[in-house]
Every structure is written in structure tokens, then in C-alpha cells.
Amino acid sequence: MSVRLSQTPGNLERGHTNATMTLPKRIAVLSVLLAIVRGQEPFTDTVPDGFYLRKDLSDCLERFHAPKLNDYQCLVFGGTQVNVTEFPHMAVLGWKVPEEPDQGDGGVRWQCGGSLITVKYVLTAAHCAADADNIPPRFVRLGDVNLASAKDDTFAQQFEIKSIVRHPEHRFSKKYFNLALVELDGVVRLTGGVCPTCLWTNSKVLPADFFQTAGFGETSLGSGSVPTLLKTSLRATNTTQCSDSFKYTRGLPEGIVRDQVCASMLNADTCQGDSGGPLQVSLRSYNTEHPFLVALTSFGRGCGIGSSGVYQQVAAHIPWIESVVNETMDPVRCTEKYGAFRLRYSLEPECSLRGLTASRVRLLWPEDAKEAEQFCSGTLIDYNTVLTSAGCTKNAQGVQPTEIEILENRVKIVEIHVHPEFRSPHNNLALLRLEKYLNLTKEIAPSCLPVEQKSEVCSDRQTHDPVACWDKFAETTKLNLLNKPCVLHRIRSSTVKLIWKDPDPLKQSCVGMVIKPDTVITSIRCMNLHGELPPMEVAFNESEVEKRVKILRTLKHPGNKEGSRNRDTALLVLAEPLEALVPSCIKSLVGERSNRTLVPVYKQGTTHGILALPVSKICNGSMLHSFKELVGETIANSSQYTCWDTDRHLVPGTIPVVRGAGLLDNTNRFIHGLTTDFSGFGSVDPLVSINLTSYTDWITRFVLYRPPKVELVFRAGDDEFDYGSKCTLKNGTAGNCMPEYSCERTINESKSVKDITICGFEGSVSYVCCPLGHQDFLPIPEIEYPSPVRLLPTLPYENFPLELDPLVTE
């Protein structure tokens, strides 16, 4: 589906002026216009140079990204705020010790652990609701990591227990549904040392493989409880193996069930006295780190001998918990509520590249229309084309965006093209055509699609004007090699010698320079000195031994005239790659696509802020299984999507992915994919992006659509003409396209308009094909001016005589 909002004709690519204007005047006018354009805003009405010449998008990198080296900028954050305890939710349950004669107060016996989950409730194991004498606990103590000392009691708070509510399906004779809620007789005072934990609410999957646990229990079998809070790390173990090890355990008639998890380490396990304590994982939101309670210590066999402990998961019992505490356990709400009391942790990368060009845009709606709840983004991929998701082309009221914004510059959208097979959520792509064209600056440049890079240069499949294309390629290549990072003595090491089948020692030897692993640039003029046959091999030294590589093809600049130093460029395509000979400066300046992919997420605390977080690994294991469940086996095995393993412990729902945004590399030069509506970033679900290689043809057709050059109406075919262009009359006579007033004899001798061959029109002036002898004013002869490449300092591959090489004579 394609919706054209308006049609604004572009200007002519080559600025046709009045036909009688002399060539010098035309050049002067064009120079003035170019100077004006360069000083204008980033977007212009002027059609870019070479806009009508492209046939594919493989030249994106060379066209839009000037060679440069990016350096890193590193920020220093204010350090990490450390709490008095790493477990501010850790609670311990105490039993009143009976008074004995002549002993006074019997004190408190601290025995079971628990976790503060609201300001009034502690979650613990159900079997902690009473001791062996069927006596319930009386006290709950919080914020104390050493029960035997008062030195750390700054944050300590102690409450009496108002009530204990066991899970309705718990039975003391069995080891299932081992949860209980302890209501305090007061409300806790929130501090850095006392703060509720969040609960893991996804019953289908665990948030991690490794967990932390803590308690005041025994450190070894029979050693007795310790007063200091101890912690250890445990790993989830195989449920089947764990179930086998507890096969004949009393109270487990059904074995280990789905809402129980086994965990252990070789030399670490929770012991007696730790019951009800937390099995947790730390998850991050945008700028805070939060403990998430996954399970409670339930039971085990022995201590520290490598056997698994069994833990009661809480996710399956969230509805019951919420019904008792009368409060939502939503993870996002929890992080918002207690974020001020958490460990500080910023997702902002400490180091990032400086001086990057921008390609990410924001979609804007009319002032009287509502923007989507979360704003939509897109990526500039050409002069006037933005790639976004189809879901971003309409808001909830069906209104379409009308503008894009990039670096505070706004441009109108004139056409919206949704993928024809879009059926939410699949094929969720759209292309936007802008009213104006990008005027290349150091601040803004399109990101390039991952199209195949061809070894051929400026072929008919790639451009409508091979000569102009080769001119640009030759200039860009030389400028890259003359860039500051390309020190002369280093790039000379990339020089290779051209070898002919029957070399003539009396003729000048020719050299070339390796500019790509399989490509050498050299001089046509030098090769012509050796006759019509091209060279067969290139030779180079490796560890003082000469090696040779065969040449498969020779490509020559189509605009070169024999003997001319203008357009004196040829390329040799090699049979074997010479990766080691490519100048390192060229690798760093142009470079390959980075393996580091950045995912755009909404920046917490800002209205329209975006933060790019890195991913690098493709899904496997449980992530791959989740991906197949998410999109289906058939689609997962296709090339429509890419599944990324974010490998980050983030709170689900707190770091949403930006809608319609591209996944760019860390230089912003390449776009690796497009975000989808399947999942957020960094939770237990994989990040799914649209694989753009599956849509390259569709995108290319839209990007390369060129509106007609409306200032000139063609009548004699599709070939473009200018004053003096060659043409052929209907009788086969050769002529030139001339204004009608410059060819009066032909017009007067013609019996009707049908006898006149019309080239076209410019304004009210008709251009006719005028025979050579009938022209009142002869066409201006073509003058060959030095190409921009010749005006630059000389490089070895141009094969100039040594005394003419300014780089050598310096």
C-alpha cells in the first residue's frame, strides 16, 4: 500500500540554464548555486548530485560516509552508592524464649528467614508459622546483618507479628505450597537498609541460571546458627536429577513439582535455619538495581555437601499473595515505588564514540492529533527515504504522521508506503518519502542497508551513467588514500607490481595499490604502454620472498581517452584476497560492518530520549526456544527475523524498545534490523528484529524511484539532451539539438511539423535536430578540463615518472 500525501517536483540534476549561455557562464552559475546550497539547512529542494544515476544501493558507504576516524569519549560517574546491607529486604523471625527462674528475660531465638515484600508484609516458608512445639514466632527484625552486635543497628527495625497467613493449600505433612505471609504490627520506615524486594512474576521461565541466597542459619551440619547474615551463590540444577535424589523423601508424594526449583553449588548450600530465606537475582532498570525474589528456601538434604536444596517458587502464587497484601506485585510498579532506595546503576555506557553522524528520526503527527503513547522512530536510509515500522504509520485514531524530525530539523512526509503483506505483527515495515533531500553534512548521514558488496564498479546494473560513477569512485578512493591517517610510507607497502605474460624490460614497469582484499587500482595509460593484452598477475614481497596472484578481470574507466591523463583509472580483480596488503587506514576509514549492534530503547525520565544498548550474540538454548514459541517454528526457521540474546539482567517492562527504530552498528553507518512489537529489551524473552536482507528488493525499488524531470518535457525519446547534443534526423542525417531560432533553414524547408525531429522543450523554446550544415550558431565544442583527481597529489598507482611525483619530491 502506498499513500502519496503530496507531489513536489524536484529540480533538474544538472541545472539546465538558458541554451545560449556560454560554458564558462554556466560553470560560474553552477559554482555559485553549489556554494549557496552548502550553506543551507541540512535538507534542501535541490536534487543531489548523481541522484538520477544510481541503480542499486551498494554505493551507500562511499556516497554518504566521508572517511574519518572516530575517537572515544568516556564519562566518569559519581561512583556506586553502597547500602548498609546488600539484602535490605532480609527479615528474620524470632520466638520468645520462656523466662526461667532467676534468669530474667529469656530473650529471642531467631530461627527462620523471610523477605519484606511490602511495608507491612514479610513472605516466608509456611513451615515457619510454628516451631516444633507448635508455637508461632512473635517478632520480625529487619535491617540487621549481625544479630549479636548493636554496632550495625543504624537501620535495624523490629516489629511484633500481628498475624500469619499460610497458603490455603499448605499442609504441614507435605512439602508443597510452602509459603506464608507475616503481617507486621506497624509500617516499616523505608531506608537504604530496609526496603521491600520485588517478586519475579513469570512462572514459565527463571530470570537467570545463577542466584544469590542469604541467611542466619548453620554454616555446616550441626554447627548451630550464626549471628551474622551470610550469603552465597547457587546455580539452578536439573529438575529431573533433583527429583531422583528426593525420590523417597517423606512429604513429596508427587516428587519435585513445577513450582519448585532445585539449586546448589559444589561447596555451598543453604542449611537448617535458613528456611523461608530468599533465593533471588539482581535485575536492573534504567538507573537502579533491584533484588527480585524468585523462591524461598524450603528444604534440603545436608549442608554444603553438593546436594540440591529445594526452593518454593513464588511466581505461580502471585494472585494469592496480592489478595492477602491487597497490593499489586507488578515488577515495573515495584521498581518505580522503591527506586529511591536502591543501589544506583546506570545503563548509560561509560565510553562512546564521538562525532557520529545521526540517522535516527522521530515521527511527528499533526498538532491536533494524538501521538502514540510511546513515540515512533525511523531511520534515514537515503537522501529522502526513512525506514520505519508499519505500525508507526497511524496512531490510535488512524491519523498518519506528517513530518519527521532529526537534530531539530523538520521535513514533511509526502508519501507513506506500507509493506503490501503487512499483517500485524509480521512484515511490519513502512517507507516514508520526504519532501526535501538531505544536503550531506557532518551531522546527518543515512545508515546503509546490509546489501551485498559487489566487486564490480559502476556497471550497468549499478548506475545509469558509468562515466560519472567512475569519476566519483576514482576521486573518493584517492581522497581516502590521501587522508591524514594514511601515512605515505605505510600505503606504499600496499603497492604491487603488474606482471605481463611476455614482459618487455625496456618498457616502464607498472604498479598498482591494493584498495580491497581482491582489488588493485592502477593506471590505464601505463598498461597501454605494454600493448593490448592486460597484465596476468600481480607480484609482491612477503617475508622477502616474491609471491604472485592471478588477475581475473581488468576494469577500465569508460571515459578515458587513449593517452590522456584524465580518468586514468583501472581496477584489477584478483583470484585470491590480499587482506594483509590493504592499508590499515583504509580499513579503519571505510571499514566493514561492526559486529556490535545497538538496540534503541526509551530513556527513562525523558519525554523523547533514546538510549542505545549493545547486543552481539544470536539466540541459542532457552532463548532460541522462547523465540520459536513467540513467532512459531516455521517463521523462526525462515530469514524474516533475527533473534538476539541480550544477555542482560533487566527488569521486564522497564526498558521498552523504541517502535520503528533501526538496530544500528556503533558507528551509525549500518542498519542491521528493525525493532518489532514482540518483546522488550533485556528480560527473559529474546529481542526479535526484522531481518532487512529479506526485504532488500522491496526497499531498493522504493528508494531508487525517481520522479520525472518536470522542467523538461521529452518528445523524442528518453535520452536527456542539452544544447548541442548529438541527434539523428528521420532521414538518418546526423545533427545537433539546437533552439528553433538557430535552425531556421531546416524549419523553413520542412513541409509540416512531422518532418521535424524534435529533441524536446525548455520553457517555451523548442529544440530541434538540426543538420550540421543548417546551423546558424555552431555548438560549443567539448573542452576537456583536468579532472579533480589530477589536481590532487600523486600516488604510486598513477605510475607517473618519479620526478613528477610531488609526494616523492617533497
Side-chain angles (χ1 to χ4, degrees):
M1 179 180 67
S2 182
V3 179
R4 187 172 295 277
L5 303 183
S6 65
Q7 179 62 53
T8 303
N11 297 330
L12 277 173
E13 182 186 348
R14 294 190 180 85
H16 293 286
T17 57
N18 189 288
T20 57
M21 186 179 290
T22 63
L23 182 62
K25 286 184 179 180
R26 289 188 185 191
I27 294 175
V29 171
L30 185 59
S31 300
V32 172
L33 289 174
L34 288 174
I36 294 173
V37 167
R38 285 170 182 159
Q40 287 178 345
E41 296 296 320
F43 288 88
T44 174
D45 291 320
T46 303
V47 177
D49 181 36
F51 183 75
Y52 284 92
L53 303 180
R54 300 174 77 195
K55 282 188 176 181
D56 72 8
L57 306 181
S58 61
D59 65 342
C60 174
L61 194 64
E62 292 79 9
R63 180 175 290 270
F64 294 120
H65 295 275
K68 67 176 180 178
L69 291 175
N70 295 304
D71 60 336
Y72 279 87
Q73 178 181 28
C74 294
L75 305 175
V76 178
F77 297 113
T80 302
Q81 175 186 337
V82 180
N83 288 333
V84 168
T85 172
E86 296 177 62
F87 298 83
H89 54 282
M90 185 68 197
V92 59
L93 278 58
W95 277 257
K96 178 69 175 176
V97 176
E99 297 182 10
E100 295 184 6
D102 303 324
Q103 295 296 322
D105 188 352
V108 179
R109 183 179 77 253
W110 304 105
Q111 188 164 323
C112 271
S115 297
L116 186 69
I117 62 170
T118 75
V119 293
K120 284 205 65 172
Y121 282 91
V122 167
L123 183 62
T124 186
H127 69 252
C128 289
D131 62 9
D133 298 322
N134 201 29
I135 299 174
R138 183 175 171 182
F139 304 104
V140 171
R141 190 166 178 82
L142 301 156
D144 196 350
V145 296
N146 189 340
L147 300 175
S149 171
K151 292 182 179 180
D152 67 329
D153 286 355
T154 305
F155 295 99
Q157 300 178 45
Q158 188 165 312
F159 299 87
E160 289 200 15
I161 295 174
K162 183 177 180 179
S163 65
I164 298 177
V165 181
R166 288 170 36 234
H167 193 286
E169 297 187 51
H170 175 260
R171 301 293 180 267
F172 281 107
S173 60
K174 296 182 180 180
K175 299 183 183 295
Y176 303 121
F177 304 102
N178 196 6
L179 302 100
L181 287 162
V182 177
E183 184 182 8
L184 309 180
D185 69 342
V187 176
V188 301
R189 185 181 74 259
L190 295 177
T191 66
V194 177
C195 186
T197 181
C198 299
L199 302 187
W200 180 252
T201 59
N202 189 332
S203 60
K204 294 181 179 180
V205 61
L206 296 173
D209 292 325
F210 287 89
F211 304 90
Q212 279 192 318
T213 187
F216 294 95
E218 298 176 2
T219 56
S220 61
L221 190 60
S223 66
S225 297
V226 294
T228 305
L229 182 65
L230 301 178
K231 68 174 183 178
T232 189
S233 294
L234 302 177
R235 182 174 186 171
T237 57
N238 184 277
T239 303
T240 303
Q241 294 177 354
C242 179
S243 186
D244 289 343
S245 66
F246 289 96
K247 191 172 183 179
Y248 301 106
T249 301
R250 181 180 298 177
L252 288 176
E254 301 174 30
I256 304 299
V257 294
R258 292 193 59 172
D259 70 342
Q260 293 174 316
V261 60
C262 301
S264 71
M265 289 291 280
L266 183 61
N267 296 314
D269 188 19
T270 44
C271 290
Q272 298 170 13
D274 288 335
S275 290
L279 184 74
Q280 67 182 61
V281 63
S282 292
L283 301 180
R284 301 162 185 161
S285 60
Y286 175 69
N287 54 14
T288 49
E289 192 169 58
H290 303 263
F292 268 74
L293 181 66
V294 178
L296 308 175
T297 304
S298 186
F299 64 93
R301 180 175 293 150
C303 292
I305 57 175
S307 63
S308 291
V310 180
Y311 299 81
Q312 174 67 63
Q313 293 190 55
V314 300
H317 307 285
I318 295 297
W320 169 72
I321 294 172
E322 291 178 335
S323 70
V324 175
V325 303
N326 195 28
E327 190 173 314
T328 179
M329 293 292 110
D330 177 70
V332 176
R333 181 73 185 99
C334 177
T335 58
E336 294 171 348
K337 193 186 307 184
Y338 304 119
F341 304 96
R342 299 301 190 197
L343 290 168
R344 307 300 292 176
Y345 180 93
S346 178
L347 290 178
E348 293 271 11
E350 290 193 11
C351 295
S352 59
L353 289 172
R354 292 193 300 179
L356 298 180
T357 54
S359 62
R360 201 180 308 285
V361 308
R362 176 188 165 203
L363 274 58
L364 303 178
W365 270 257
E367 292 184 3
D368 58 347
K370 291 184 179 180
E371 189 173 352
E373 291 183 6
Q374 293 177 331
F375 76 94
C376 279
S377 180
T379 306
L380 191 68
I381 59 171
D382 198 63
Y383 293 105
N384 63 337
T385 305
V386 168
L387 176 64
T388 185
S389 63
C392 282
T393 59
K394 289 183 180 179
N395 66 5
Q397 290 73 41
V399 180
Q400 295 180 319
T402 55
E403 292 181 303
I404 63 99
E405 182 180 59
I406 180 170
L407 299 184
E408 299 184 354
N409 297 282
R410 293 189 174 192
V411 186
K412 288 183 178 180
I413 299 169
V414 296
E415 184 180 357
I416 297 175
H417 185 52
V418 175
H419 193 280
E421 297 180 17
F422 168 59
R423 302 291 183 274
S424 184
H426 302 303
N427 301 307
N428 191 9
L429 297 95
L431 292 162
L432 313 178
R433 202 183 307 279
L434 306 181
E435 179 185 42
K436 295 187 177 183
Y437 303 94
L438 176 66
N439 183 25
L440 292 182
T441 67
K442 294 181 179 180
E443 290 76 33
I444 303 174
S447 293
C448 299
L449 292 169
V451 296
E452 180 183 358
Q453 298 295 308
K454 301 178 177 65
S455 59
E456 60 190 7
V457 174
C458 301
S459 67
D460 290 339
R461 290 184 296 175
Q462 295 171 300
T463 179
H464 293 280
D465 188 343
V467 174
C469 180
W470 268 85
D471 286 345
K472 188 65 177 178
F473 170 80
E475 181 181 358
T476 301
T477 301
K478 191 168 184 179
L479 287 172
N480 285 350
L481 291 168
L482 291 171
N483 206 288
K484 287 184 179 180
C486 289
V487 182
L488 181 62
H489 73 273
R490 292 182 181 176
I491 62 175
R492 284 192 185 279
S493 63
S494 301
T495 302
V496 296
K497 185 177 180 180
L498 277 56
I499 307 296
W500 273 263
K501 182 179 180 180
D502 298 312
D504 186 345
L506 299 178
K507 293 180 179 179
Q508 176 187 341
S509 61
C510 298
V511 299
M513 295 181 66
V514 181
I515 57 172
K516 293 181 182 179
D518 66 342
T519 306
V520 169
I521 188 170
T522 187
S523 159
I524 298 176
R525 181 184 51 81
C526 190
M527 290 195 300
N528 287 343
L529 296 176
H530 293 258
E532 295 182 359
L533 294 177
M536 295 182 61
E537 297 174 310
V538 297
F540 60 96
N541 289 327
E542 186 177 289
S543 302
E544 300 183 359
V545 177
E546 183 181 89
K547 293 193 174 183
R548 295 187 178 187
V549 173
K550 288 185 178 181
I551 298 170
L552 295 179
R553 283 188 301 161
T554 301
L555 308 173
K556 297 181 179 180
H557 195 310
N560 176 257
K561 295 180 180 179
E562 188 173 354
S564 173
R565 290 174 57 188
N566 262 356
R567 294 166 169 167
D568 184 23
T569 306
L571 297 177
L572 311 176
V573 181
L574 308 180
E576 301 174 26
L578 300 179
E579 187 75 46
L581 295 187
V582 180
S584 57
C585 59
I586 294 295
K587 292 180 184 178
S588 59
L589 290 172
V590 179
E592 300 296 328
R593 267 179 284 166
S594 168
N595 290 327
R596 192 176 178 87
T597 302
L598 301 178
V599 182
V601 299
Y602 292 103
K603 192 172 181 179
Q604 187 174 323
T606 63
T607 307
H608 300 111
I610 292 180
L611 173 66
L613 300 179
V615 293
S616 57
K617 296 191 299 183
I618 302 299
C619 291
N620 54 34
S622 60
M623 282 282 187
L624 184 59
H625 179 73
S626 298
F627 172 52
K628 291 180 178 180
E629 284 189 342
L630 200 62
V631 301
E633 187 84 23
T634 302
I635 293 179
N637 293 330
S638 71
S639 59
Q640 186 174 345
Y641 297 107
T642 302
C643 176
W644 302 91
D645 187 343
T646 55
D647 193 27
R648 279 176 173 261
H649 291 169
L650 299 183
V651 180
T654 58
I655 312 293
V657 174
V658 178
R659 298 177 61 209
L663 277 67
L664 309 182
D665 74 339
N666 63 335
T667 66
N668 288 352
R669 296 180 304 169
F670 291 99
I671 176 171
H672 292 180
L674 195 69
T675 59
T676 67
D677 295 333
F678 282 120
S679 62
F681 179 81
S683 62
V684 293
D685 292 325
L687 177 80
V688 180
S689 67
I690 296 174
N691 180 11
L692 296 179
T693 57
S694 301
Y695 300 91
T696 301
D697 290 343
W698 175 72
I699 295 172
T700 301
R701 285 196 301 271
F702 183 89
V703 171
L704 295 183
Y705 167 78
R706 298 298 183 242
K709 303 180 183 180
V710 295
E711 289 84 349
L712 206 57
V713 181
F714 296 103
R715 291 290 181 86
D718 295 331
D719 295 333
E720 184 180 339
F721 74 90
D722 202 346
Y723 180 87
S725 296
K726 293 180 181 180
C727 58
T728 303
L729 277 74
K730 293 176 182 179
N731 60 8
T733 305
N736 298 99
C737 291
M738 307 289 288
E740 55 184 310
Y741 52 76
S742 298
C743 195
E744 293 183 359
R745 178 179 169 185
T746 296
I747 295 174
N748 292 335
E749 291 180 357
S750 300
K751 296 179 180 179
S752 69
V753 177
K754 293 181 180 180
D755 296 331
I756 301 174
T757 301
I758 299 177
C759 293
F761 301 90
E762 186 171 20
S764 59
V765 178
S766 300
Y767 279 69
V768 300
C769 190
C770 191
L772 298 178
H774 293 191
Q775 297 171 8
D776 298 331
F777 302 96
L778 294 177
I780 300 172
E782 183 180 353
I783 301 174
E784 185 177 13
Y785 290 93
S787 66
V789 172
R790 278 186 54 193
L791 302 178
L792 298 170
T794 308
L795 286 171
Y797 74 83
E798 295 172 288
N799 291 283
F800 287 153
L802 189 63
E803 63 272 12
L804 298 180
D805 188 342
L807 286 178
V808 174
T809 56
E810 288 176 2

